[in-house]
Amino acid sequence: FILLIVFAFLAIYTAINGNPVSDFLMERETKAFLLKQGYKEKEILSIEASYNLKRNTERIKGTNAYVTFEDEPNERYLYIQWRESKQIQQHCEYYNEQTQSWEQDFTEKRKHMDKSCTTKY
């Protein structure tokens, strides 16, 4: 009975908050992607992964990475992972700490906005 309760709790927790292992893997894979793109480790201030039910679709995984770069500490860039190809890609949204909102940038004003960013979920 106790095992059933623990399993039910873990299932509900994972459904709402995501899997901690998935968070770890997304952070690791996003870091590898950025290093492959030419970034140096010291340029990356932080990578934080978290589950987002809204972004969990049949096309992309629900665990997303939020990257802050050393030279833009007030901007958080969003990275997604495609389910089929397992590829990491930057989303065209970024979080602006000053306005405290998610914004999209198609004008390439943001220093770290990738030209091949996606708007799709």
Side-chain angles (χ1 to χ4, degrees):
F1 179 73
I2 293 174
L3 204 56
L4 183 61
I5 291 174
V6 169
F7 180 73
F9 173 77
L10 289 175
I12 292 169
Y13 177 85
T14 302
I16 294 170
N17 298 312
N19 185 338
V21 174
S22 296
D23 290 351
F24 170 77
L25 293 173
M26 183 63 175
E27 289 172 5
R28 187 182 74 178
E29 291 170 17
T30 302
K31 183 177 183 179
F33 170 78
L34 291 171
L35 294 174
K36 189 176 179 183
Q37 294 293 318
Y39 286 101
K40 297 186 177 21
E41 258 189 80
K42 65 180 180 177
E43 294 176 297
I44 303 167
L45 187 62
S46 70
I47 301 173
E48 298 174 14
S50 68
Y51 180 75
N52 187 326
L53 185 60
K54 174 184 159 191
R55 292 191 170 107
N56 187 21
T57 68
E58 68 274 352
R59 296 170 53 182
I60 67 168
K61 293 183 177 183
T63 303
N64 302 282
Y66 303 94
V67 178
T68 305
F69 293 97
E70 186 73 34
D71 59 349
E72 283 187 316
N74 293 325
E75 312 289 334
R76 286 181 25 200
Y77 293 88
L78 172 63
Y79 289 82
I80 61 167
Q81 186 174 37
W82 296 97
R83 285 190 188 277
E84 191 172 305
S85 66
K86 309 262 189 273
Q87 294 252 295
I88 303 287
Q89 186 175 10
Q90 187 182 60
H91 198 278
C92 293
E93 291 181 337
Y94 67 96
Y95 186 79
N96 186 322
E97 293 282 338
Q98 293 171 338
T99 63
Q100 295 187 347
S101 64
W102 283 97
E103 301 172 8
Q104 288 191 352
D105 186 359
F106 301 107
T107 63
E108 301 176 18
K109 289 186 288 186
R110 306 267 66 85
K111 182 175 182 180
H112 299 286
M113 188 60 68
D114 192 350
K115 292 177 183 154
S116 64
C117 67
T118 185
T119 59
K120 299 180 181 176
Y121 287 112

Short mmCIF file of all heavy atoms in Angstrom, two decimals, residues 46-85:
data_model
loop_
_atom_site.label_atom_id
_atom_site.label_comp_id
_atom_site.label_asym_id
_atom_site.label_seq_id
_atom_site.Cartn_x
_atom_site.Cartn_y
_atom_site.Cartn_z
N SER A 46 24.64 30.83 -17.01
CA SER A 46 23.86 29.75 -16.41
C SER A 46 22.99 29.06 -17.46
O SER A 46 22.62 29.66 -18.46
CB SER A 46 22.98 30.27 -15.28
OG SER A 46 21.94 31.07 -15.80
N ILE A 47 22.69 27.80 -17.18
CA ILE A 47 21.74 27.01 -17.95
C ILE A 47 20.83 26.34 -16.94
O ILE A 47 21.30 25.59 -16.09
CB ILE A 47 22.42 25.94 -18.83
CG1 ILE A 47 23.39 26.57 -19.81
CG2 ILE A 47 21.37 25.11 -19.56
CD1 ILE A 47 24.22 25.58 -20.59
N GLU A 48 19.55 26.66 -17.01
CA GLU A 48 18.57 26.08 -16.10
C GLU A 48 17.48 25.42 -16.92
O GLU A 48 16.87 26.07 -17.77
CB GLU A 48 17.98 27.15 -15.20
CG GLU A 48 18.99 27.82 -14.31
CD GLU A 48 18.40 28.98 -13.52
OE1 GLU A 48 17.16 29.09 -13.46
OE2 GLU A 48 19.18 29.77 -13.00
N ALA A 49 17.23 24.17 -16.66
CA ALA A 49 16.17 23.45 -17.37
C ALA A 49 14.97 23.29 -16.45
O ALA A 49 15.11 23.14 -15.23
CB ALA A 49 16.67 22.09 -17.83
N SER A 50 13.80 23.35 -17.05
CA SER A 50 12.58 23.09 -16.29
C SER A 50 11.49 22.61 -17.24
O SER A 50 11.55 22.84 -18.44
CB SER A 50 12.12 24.33 -15.52
OG SER A 50 11.69 25.33 -16.41
N TYR A 51 10.53 21.96 -16.66
CA TYR A 51 9.42 21.40 -17.43
C TYR A 51 8.37 22.47 -17.63
O TYR A 51 8.03 23.21 -16.71
CB TYR A 51 8.84 20.21 -16.67
CG TYR A 51 7.69 19.54 -17.38
CD1 TYR A 51 7.92 18.73 -18.47
CD2 TYR A 51 6.39 19.74 -16.95
CE1 TYR A 51 6.86 18.11 -19.12
CE2 TYR A 51 5.34 19.12 -17.59
CZ TYR A 51 5.58 18.32 -18.68
OH TYR A 51 4.54 17.71 -19.32
N ASN A 52 7.82 22.54 -18.84
CA ASN A 52 6.76 23.49 -19.15
C ASN A 52 5.65 22.73 -19.88
O ASN A 52 5.82 22.35 -21.03
CB ASN A 52 7.31 24.63 -20.02
CG ASN A 52 6.30 25.72 -20.23
OD1 ASN A 52 5.10 25.49 -20.32
ND2 ASN A 52 6.80 26.94 -20.33
N LEU A 53 4.56 22.53 -19.19
CA LEU A 53 3.44 21.76 -19.75
C LEU A 53 2.92 22.39 -21.04
O LEU A 53 2.56 21.69 -21.99
CB LEU A 53 2.32 21.65 -18.73
CG LEU A 53 1.12 20.78 -19.10
CD1 LEU A 53 1.57 19.35 -19.35
CD2 LEU A 53 0.08 20.83 -18.00
N LYS A 54 2.93 23.71 -21.12
CA LYS A 54 2.45 24.43 -22.31
C LYS A 54 3.28 24.08 -23.54
O LYS A 54 2.77 23.99 -24.65
CB LYS A 54 2.50 25.93 -22.05
CG LYS A 54 2.17 26.78 -23.24
CD LYS A 54 2.36 28.26 -22.91
CE LYS A 54 2.54 29.06 -24.17
NZ LYS A 54 2.97 30.42 -23.89
N ARG A 55 4.55 23.89 -23.35
CA ARG A 55 5.45 23.61 -24.48
C ARG A 55 5.65 22.12 -24.72
O ARG A 55 6.45 21.74 -25.57
CB ARG A 55 6.78 24.31 -24.24
CG ARG A 55 6.64 25.82 -24.30
CD ARG A 55 7.99 26.49 -24.35
NE ARG A 55 7.84 27.89 -24.65
CZ ARG A 55 8.00 28.87 -23.77
NH1 ARG A 55 8.36 28.58 -22.55
NH2 ARG A 55 7.84 30.12 -24.13
N ASN A 56 4.97 21.29 -23.99
CA ASN A 56 5.08 19.84 -24.17
C ASN A 56 4.10 19.42 -25.26
O ASN A 56 2.91 19.26 -25.00
CB ASN A 56 4.79 19.12 -22.86
CG ASN A 56 5.06 17.65 -22.96
OD1 ASN A 56 5.81 17.19 -23.81
ND2 ASN A 56 4.46 16.89 -22.06
N THR A 57 4.59 19.26 -26.47
CA THR A 57 3.73 18.90 -27.59
C THR A 57 4.24 17.61 -28.22
O THR A 57 5.25 17.06 -27.80
CB THR A 57 3.71 20.01 -28.66
OG1 THR A 57 5.00 20.08 -29.28
CG2 THR A 57 3.35 21.36 -28.06
N GLU A 58 3.55 17.16 -29.24
CA GLU A 58 4.03 15.97 -29.94
C GLU A 58 5.28 16.26 -30.76
O GLU A 58 5.98 15.35 -31.17
CB GLU A 58 2.93 15.37 -30.85
CG GLU A 58 2.54 16.21 -32.03
CD GLU A 58 1.47 17.26 -31.73
OE1 GLU A 58 0.89 17.27 -30.64
OE2 GLU A 58 1.22 18.09 -32.62
N ARG A 59 5.61 17.54 -30.96
CA ARG A 59 6.79 17.91 -31.75
C ARG A 59 8.00 18.23 -30.90
O ARG A 59 9.13 17.96 -31.30
CB ARG A 59 6.44 19.11 -32.63
CG ARG A 59 5.37 18.75 -33.65
CD ARG A 59 4.85 19.92 -34.37
NE ARG A 59 5.92 20.70 -34.96
CZ ARG A 59 5.71 21.83 -35.62
NH1 ARG A 59 4.51 22.28 -35.78
NH2 ARG A 59 6.72 22.49 -36.12
N ILE A 60 7.80 18.86 -29.74
CA ILE A 60 8.94 19.20 -28.88
C ILE A 60 8.72 18.64 -27.48
O ILE A 60 7.60 18.43 -27.04
CB ILE A 60 9.22 20.72 -28.81
CG1 ILE A 60 8.10 21.46 -28.10
CG2 ILE A 60 9.49 21.29 -30.18
CD1 ILE A 60 8.46 22.88 -27.76
N LYS A 61 9.83 18.43 -26.78
CA LYS A 61 9.78 17.93 -25.41
C LYS A 61 9.37 19.06 -24.47
O LYS A 61 9.63 20.23 -24.75
CB LYS A 61 11.13 17.37 -25.00
CG LYS A 61 11.53 16.14 -25.78
CD LYS A 61 12.84 15.59 -25.29
CE LYS A 61 13.18 14.31 -26.03
NZ LYS A 61 14.42 13.72 -25.52
N GLY A 62 8.79 18.70 -23.36
CA GLY A 62 8.33 19.70 -22.39
C GLY A 62 9.42 20.29 -21.53
O GLY A 62 9.23 21.32 -20.90
N THR A 63 10.58 19.67 -21.50
CA THR A 63 11.69 20.20 -20.72
C THR A 63 12.47 21.17 -21.60
O THR A 63 12.97 20.81 -22.66
CB THR A 63 12.61 19.07 -20.22
OG1 THR A 63 11.82 18.17 -19.44
CG2 THR A 63 13.73 19.62 -19.36
N ASN A 64 12.55 22.41 -21.15
CA ASN A 64 13.22 23.47 -21.89
C ASN A 64 14.41 23.98 -21.10
O ASN A 64 14.45 23.86 -19.88
CB ASN A 64 12.27 24.64 -22.13
CG ASN A 64 11.03 24.22 -22.87
OD1 ASN A 64 11.05 24.04 -24.06
ND2 ASN A 64 9.94 24.04 -22.14
N ALA A 65 15.36 24.58 -21.81
CA ALA A 65 16.53 25.16 -21.15
C ALA A 65 16.48 26.67 -21.28
O ALA A 65 16.12 27.20 -22.34
CB ALA A 65 17.82 24.62 -21.76
N TYR A 66 16.82 27.35 -20.21
CA TYR A 66 16.88 28.80 -20.18
C TYR A 66 18.33 29.19 -19.95
O TYR A 66 18.91 28.87 -18.92
CB TYR A 66 15.97 29.34 -19.07
CG TYR A 66 14.54 28.86 -19.25
CD1 TYR A 66 14.09 27.71 -18.60
CD2 TYR A 66 13.68 29.52 -20.10
CE1 TYR A 66 12.80 27.25 -18.78
CE2 TYR A 66 12.38 29.08 -20.29
CZ TYR A 66 11.95 27.94 -19.62
OH TYR A 66 10.67 27.48 -19.81
N VAL A 67 18.89 29.89 -20.93
CA VAL A 67 20.32 30.19 -20.91
C VAL A 67 20.53 31.69 -20.71
O VAL A 67 19.90 32.51 -21.37
CB VAL A 67 20.99 29.75 -22.23
CG1 VAL A 67 22.47 30.11 -22.23
CG2 VAL A 67 20.80 28.26 -22.46
N THR A 68 21.42 32.01 -19.78
CA THR A 68 21.84 33.39 -19.56
C THR A 68 23.31 33.47 -19.90
O THR A 68 24.11 32.64 -19.46
CB THR A 68 21.62 33.79 -18.08
OG1 THR A 68 20.26 33.55 -17.74
CG2 THR A 68 21.97 35.26 -17.86
N PHE A 69 23.66 34.48 -20.70
CA PHE A 69 25.05 34.67 -21.11
C PHE A 69 25.70 35.74 -20.24
O PHE A 69 25.04 36.65 -19.74
CB PHE A 69 25.12 35.06 -22.59
CG PHE A 69 24.67 33.95 -23.50
CD1 PHE A 69 23.38 33.91 -23.99
CD2 PHE A 69 25.54 32.93 -23.86
CE1 PHE A 69 22.95 32.88 -24.82
CE2 PHE A 69 25.13 31.90 -24.70
CZ PHE A 69 23.82 31.88 -25.17
N GLU A 70 27.01 35.61 -20.09
CA GLU A 70 27.79 36.49 -19.22
C GLU A 70 27.62 37.97 -19.60
O GLU A 70 27.48 38.82 -18.73
CB GLU A 70 29.27 36.10 -19.31
CG GLU A 70 30.18 36.84 -18.37
CD GLU A 70 30.01 36.41 -16.92
OE1 GLU A 70 29.76 35.23 -16.68
OE2 GLU A 70 30.15 37.28 -16.04
N ASP A 71 27.61 38.27 -20.90
CA ASP A 71 27.55 39.67 -21.31
C ASP A 71 26.12 40.21 -21.44
O ASP A 71 25.94 41.39 -21.74
CB ASP A 71 28.30 39.87 -22.64
CG ASP A 71 27.75 39.02 -23.76
OD1 ASP A 71 26.93 38.13 -23.49
OD2 ASP A 71 28.14 39.25 -24.91
N GLU A 72 25.12 39.39 -21.19
CA GLU A 72 23.72 39.83 -21.17
C GLU A 72 23.01 39.19 -19.97
O GLU A 72 22.14 38.36 -20.12
CB GLU A 72 22.99 39.42 -22.45
CG GLU A 72 23.30 40.27 -23.64
CD GLU A 72 22.42 39.92 -24.83
OE1 GLU A 72 22.21 38.73 -25.11
OE2 GLU A 72 21.94 40.87 -25.46
N PRO A 73 23.39 39.61 -18.76
CA PRO A 73 22.84 38.94 -17.58
C PRO A 73 21.35 39.19 -17.35
O PRO A 73 20.74 38.49 -16.55
CB PRO A 73 23.69 39.50 -16.43
CG PRO A 73 24.18 40.80 -16.94
CD PRO A 73 24.34 40.65 -18.42
N ASN A 74 20.76 40.14 -18.05
CA ASN A 74 19.34 40.44 -17.88
C ASN A 74 18.46 39.78 -18.92
O ASN A 74 17.26 40.06 -18.98
CB ASN A 74 19.10 41.95 -17.89
CG ASN A 74 19.72 42.63 -16.70
OD1 ASN A 74 19.77 42.08 -15.61
ND2 ASN A 74 20.23 43.83 -16.89
N GLU A 75 19.04 38.94 -19.76
CA GLU A 75 18.27 38.25 -20.81
C GLU A 75 18.40 36.75 -20.60
O GLU A 75 19.47 36.24 -20.32
CB GLU A 75 18.82 38.59 -22.20
CG GLU A 75 19.06 40.06 -22.46
CD GLU A 75 17.79 40.87 -22.59
OE1 GLU A 75 16.75 40.30 -22.96
OE2 GLU A 75 17.83 42.08 -22.32
N ARG A 76 17.28 36.04 -20.73
CA ARG A 76 17.28 34.58 -20.66
C ARG A 76 16.75 34.06 -21.99
O ARG A 76 15.63 34.36 -22.38
CB ARG A 76 16.40 34.08 -19.52
CG ARG A 76 17.03 34.30 -18.19
CD ARG A 76 16.20 33.81 -17.04
NE ARG A 76 15.27 32.76 -17.35
CZ ARG A 76 14.22 32.46 -16.60
NH1 ARG A 76 13.98 33.14 -15.51
NH2 ARG A 76 13.41 31.49 -16.93
N TYR A 77 17.57 33.27 -22.67
CA TYR A 77 17.20 32.70 -23.97
C TYR A 77 16.62 31.31 -23.78
O TYR A 77 17.09 30.54 -22.94
CB TYR A 77 18.42 32.65 -24.88
CG TYR A 77 18.91 34.03 -25.28
CD1 TYR A 77 19.83 34.71 -24.48
CD2 TYR A 77 18.46 34.64 -26.42
CE1 TYR A 77 20.28 35.97 -24.84
CE2 TYR A 77 18.91 35.90 -26.79
CZ TYR A 77 19.81 36.56 -25.99
OH TYR A 77 20.25 37.81 -26.34
N LEU A 78 15.63 30.99 -24.57
CA LEU A 78 14.91 29.73 -24.48
C LEU A 78 15.42 28.75 -25.53
O LEU A 78 15.52 29.09 -26.70
CB LEU A 78 13.41 29.98 -24.68
CG LEU A 78 12.50 28.77 -24.79
CD1 LEU A 78 12.52 27.95 -23.51
CD2 LEU A 78 11.08 29.23 -25.11
N TYR A 79 15.73 27.53 -25.09
CA TYR A 79 16.15 26.45 -25.99
C TYR A 79 15.20 25.28 -25.82
O TYR A 79 14.81 24.94 -24.71
CB TYR A 79 17.59 26.02 -25.69
CG TYR A 79 18.60 27.05 -26.13
CD1 TYR A 79 18.88 28.15 -25.33
CD2 TYR A 79 19.23 26.95 -27.36
CE1 TYR A 79 19.78 29.12 -25.74
CE2 TYR A 79 20.14 27.92 -27.77
CZ TYR A 79 20.40 29.00 -26.96
OH TYR A 79 21.29 29.96 -27.38
N ILE A 80 14.81 24.69 -26.96
CA ILE A 80 13.89 23.56 -26.98
C ILE A 80 14.59 22.35 -27.58
O ILE A 80 15.66 22.48 -28.18
CB ILE A 80 12.62 23.88 -27.79
CG1 ILE A 80 12.99 24.19 -29.25
CG2 ILE A 80 11.84 25.02 -27.17
CD1 ILE A 80 11.83 24.22 -30.21
N GLN A 81 13.97 21.19 -27.42
CA GLN A 81 14.50 19.98 -28.04
C GLN A 81 13.38 19.29 -28.82
O GLN A 81 12.31 19.03 -28.28
CB GLN A 81 15.08 19.02 -27.00
CG GLN A 81 15.76 17.82 -27.63
CD GLN A 81 16.45 16.95 -26.60
OE1 GLN A 81 15.96 16.77 -25.50
NE2 GLN A 81 17.60 16.41 -26.97
N TRP A 82 13.65 19.03 -30.09
CA TRP A 82 12.69 18.35 -30.95
C TRP A 82 12.62 16.88 -30.58
O TRP A 82 13.64 16.25 -30.35
CB TRP A 82 13.08 18.53 -32.42
CG TRP A 82 13.02 19.96 -32.84
CD1 TRP A 82 14.07 20.83 -32.91
CD2 TRP A 82 11.87 20.72 -33.21
NE1 TRP A 82 13.64 22.07 -33.29
CE2 TRP A 82 12.29 22.03 -33.49
CE3 TRP A 82 10.52 20.41 -33.32
CZ2 TRP A 82 11.41 23.04 -33.89
CZ3 TRP A 82 9.64 21.41 -33.72
CH2 TRP A 82 10.08 22.70 -34.00
N ARG A 83 11.44 16.33 -30.54
CA ARG A 83 11.25 14.93 -30.16
C ARG A 83 11.86 13.98 -31.18
O ARG A 83 12.58 13.06 -30.84
CB ARG A 83 9.78 14.60 -29.99
CG ARG A 83 9.18 15.13 -28.75
CD ARG A 83 7.78 14.55 -28.52
NE ARG A 83 7.15 15.22 -27.41
CZ ARG A 83 7.36 14.90 -26.14
NH1 ARG A 83 8.17 13.94 -25.84
NH2 ARG A 83 6.75 15.56 -25.18
N GLU A 84 11.53 14.18 -32.44
CA GLU A 84 11.93 13.23 -33.47
C GLU A 84 13.44 13.20 -33.70
O GLU A 84 14.06 12.15 -33.68
CB GLU A 84 11.21 13.56 -34.78
CG GLU A 84 11.36 12.48 -35.82
CD GLU A 84 10.48 12.75 -37.02
OE1 GLU A 84 9.26 12.92 -36.85
OE2 GLU A 84 11.04 12.79 -38.13
N SER A 85 14.04 14.37 -33.88
CA SER A 85 15.47 14.42 -34.21
C SER A 85 16.37 14.55 -32.98
O SER A 85 17.58 14.39 -33.08
CB SER A 85 15.74 15.59 -35.14
OG SER A 85 15.50 16.82 -34.47
#
